Amino acid sequence: MPAFQLDPRLDADTLAVAELPLSTLRLMNDARWPWLILVPRIASAFEVHDLSAADQQQLILEAALVGQVLKRVTASEKINTAAIGNIVRQLHVHVIARREGDANWPAPVWGYGLREPYDGGSAAFIDAISVALAKENGLKS
């Protein structure tokens, strides 16, 4: 089996947050929304059904954990979780905090306007997520 490598587009568009048991957790570099991405570290995974049953369960657990932590850290009204992959084929799961009045509420975040990269504020947010994950599940950040 080939070794896992993060898709270059995901690498360019995101910032590292933490390593979970199955997935690497990344922050989308777009300050309009608190937007995390889980990428299972399995080279051959393009769809959820490409994972073993155990890995499918682990991915769901990680998505739920990340959603719970994201909601707590951001006090958002809604957490959107999706695996689309039409442009970046590598399996990845978006976990996005939404609130009424945010950019493009209530429509989807994909393809809306121009990305607004974090301007130095990502470190504090990444730290808050990492600390919350560690408290929640004893994970390595």
Side-chain angles (χ1 to χ4, degrees):
M1 266 186 113
F4 169 80
Q5 290 185 349
L6 186 63
D7 183 281
R9 291 163 292 195
L10 287 175
D11 192 33
D13 291 346
T14 63
L15 306 165
V17 176
E19 294 300 317
L20 306 181
L22 176 69
S23 307
T24 184
L25 181 63
R26 312 281 298 183
L27 172 65
M28 178 62 85
N29 192 8
D30 189 340
R32 295 176 295 169
W33 304 281
W35 183 346
L36 297 172
I37 297 177
L38 289 159
V39 185
R41 290 182 304 277
I42 298 178
S44 60
F46 300 100
E47 309 290 349
V48 173
H49 63 259
D50 292 336
L51 301 175
S52 69
D55 286 343
Q56 289 174 24
Q57 291 175 345
Q58 183 62 38
L59 181 59
I60 294 297
L61 290 171
E62 290 177 4
L65 172 66
V66 168
Q68 181 180 13
V69 165
L70 188 59
K71 188 163 187 154
R72 185 177 309 122
V73 168
T74 64
S76 65
E77 297 169 13
K78 181 72 176 99
I79 297 295
N80 294 164
T81 305
I84 307 297
N86 292 342
I87 296 173
V88 174
R89 302 281 181 183
Q90 183 174 50
L91 178 60
H92 60 288
V93 177
H94 301 266
V95 183
I96 308 163
R98 301 295 306 271
R99 64 172 47 95
E100 193 169 332
D102 72 19
N104 209 34
W105 176 268
V109 299
W110 288 275
Y112 176 75
L114 297 175
R115 183 167 49 133
E116 296 175 13
Y118 282 93
D119 187 20
S122 65
F125 184 68
I126 288 171
D127 286 346
I129 293 294
S130 296
V131 166
L133 280 171
K135 284 182 182 176
E136 187 66 36
N137 214 17
L139 297 173
K140 179 181 168 188
S141 59

